[in-house]
Every structure is written in structure tokens, then in C-alpha cells.
Amino acid sequence: MKAITIHQPWATLIALEQKKFETRSWKIAYRGELAIHAGKKIDKKVCRWEPFRSVLAKHGYNEDNLPTGAIVAVCRLEECWSVSRSSETEILLSYDRPDISKEISIGKQEEIFGDYSDGRYAWELSHVQRLPEPVPATGRQGLWTWEALI
């Protein structure tokens, strides 16, 4: 199964289905099953900011108890969207394929939970299944293969 390592608290926000898009500086052609790996780095400062703090707290998490070094969820990578701003306040996600061209806008919380700078990409995640217990795994940069033990 393909996997992506994501720093905390963002990996847990995906596992909790509070973050629907993972933003990256690179486009990806892959579509399919994807394991979400919580890296060893926790941005503790971000964990104290709103709405991060309250969303995590609602689910029993804080900067001191986020899982690290483990697969926390599996999901499906549906689409890779290009990020652009239609104005100073509205972010548009778009894709062009031979058969269809489409644009969508995102909500404020989603915007706060990602880096939606011009020229970046938003990976649309669906069918998120949080694992009952994190599965220890060593992460890597980029997209990597996880030998699923679940």
C-alpha cells in the first residue's frame, strides 16, 4: 500500500476526518489506497493555535499525546487539485483532464489546516478509516510503500 508521512498534528486531523485535503508542493498522478503515517515531528506551537487546539481537544488530543512514528489511518487518494486564488479571500482548487474541467472552493477551516499558496497542490482524501491503534512504522519522504500489517 502506498503511504505518505505527515507531521503532527496534520496526520491526526486527517485521521479524524477534520482535514479533507493534504497540501503539497508537488503534483501526483497516483490514485488509490493511501496510508497516513504520522511522522516523529510534532509542531507543538500549531497545536496551541485555534482551531487546531479545540479540534484536537474535542477528540482527546493535545500536543503531548499525538501518536508519532506510526500509521494512523488509511484512505483513498481521489484527486490532485491545482491551487489558485480567485481573489485575496477565495481559494479555488481546479483540475483539467481531457474529459472534464472542474473547480471547487474550500471552507475556512480547511484553508487554515493546509498551505494553499498559489502553485501548490491539494490531494483530495476520501473514505478515511482511522486505525483503532496506531501501527508503528518508519516513515520516508515522498510517496512510499508500506507493507500493511493490519
Side-chain angles (χ1 to χ4, degrees):
M1 175 181 291
K2 295 297 183 188
I4 188 78
T5 297
I6 301 172
H7 294 159
Q8 287 287 32
W10 295 278
T12 292
L13 292 171
I14 291 169
L16 296 172
E17 298 184 76
Q18 297 296 307
K19 178 176 167 53
K20 307 289 186 202
F21 295 91
E22 170 58 12
T23 55
R24 294 280 161 156
S25 62
W26 44 285
K27 188 176 186 176
I28 189 166
Y30 174 78
R31 302 293 182 273
E33 297 303 308
L34 183 68
I36 303 300
H37 177 264
K40 293 195 175 187
K41 182 178 178 185
I42 299 174
D43 192 327
K44 292 187 175 199
K45 185 177 178 182
V46 166
C47 291
R48 296 180 203 124
W49 293 348
E50 287 300 337
F52 293 87
R53 186 191 60 75
S54 58
V55 169
L56 291 170
K58 177 180 172 185
H59 297 278
Y61 290 104
N62 61 51
E63 65 189 83
D64 297 319
N65 68 353
L66 290 167
T68 58
I71 303 293
V72 295
V74 293
C75 63
R76 178 166 176 75
L77 174 54
E78 293 289 344
E79 189 57 73
C80 181
W81 299 81
S82 296
V83 176
S84 63
R85 290 191 176 267
S86 63
S87 67
E88 285 188 27
T89 57
E90 186 178 26
I91 294 172
L92 289 178
L93 304 181
S94 60
Y95 68 85
D96 288 304
R97 296 192 303 209
D99 57 335
I100 191 167
S101 180
K102 186 175 180 180
E103 287 186 344
I104 61 170
S105 60
I106 60 168
K108 191 64 175 170
Q109 179 173 290
E110 193 70 47
E111 179 181 354
I112 292 168
F113 287 168
D115 179 353
Y116 290 89
S117 302
D118 277 336
R120 290 184 60 88
Y121 298 92
W123 299 7
E124 182 180 4
L125 308 175
S126 69
H127 300 89
V128 176
Q129 295 178 307
R130 183 173 153 205
L131 301 185
E133 291 294 325
V135 177
T138 301
R140 294 169 189 78
Q141 291 186 340
L143 201 63
W144 52 277
T145 300
W146 175 53
E147 300 300 327
L149 301 174
I150 55 172

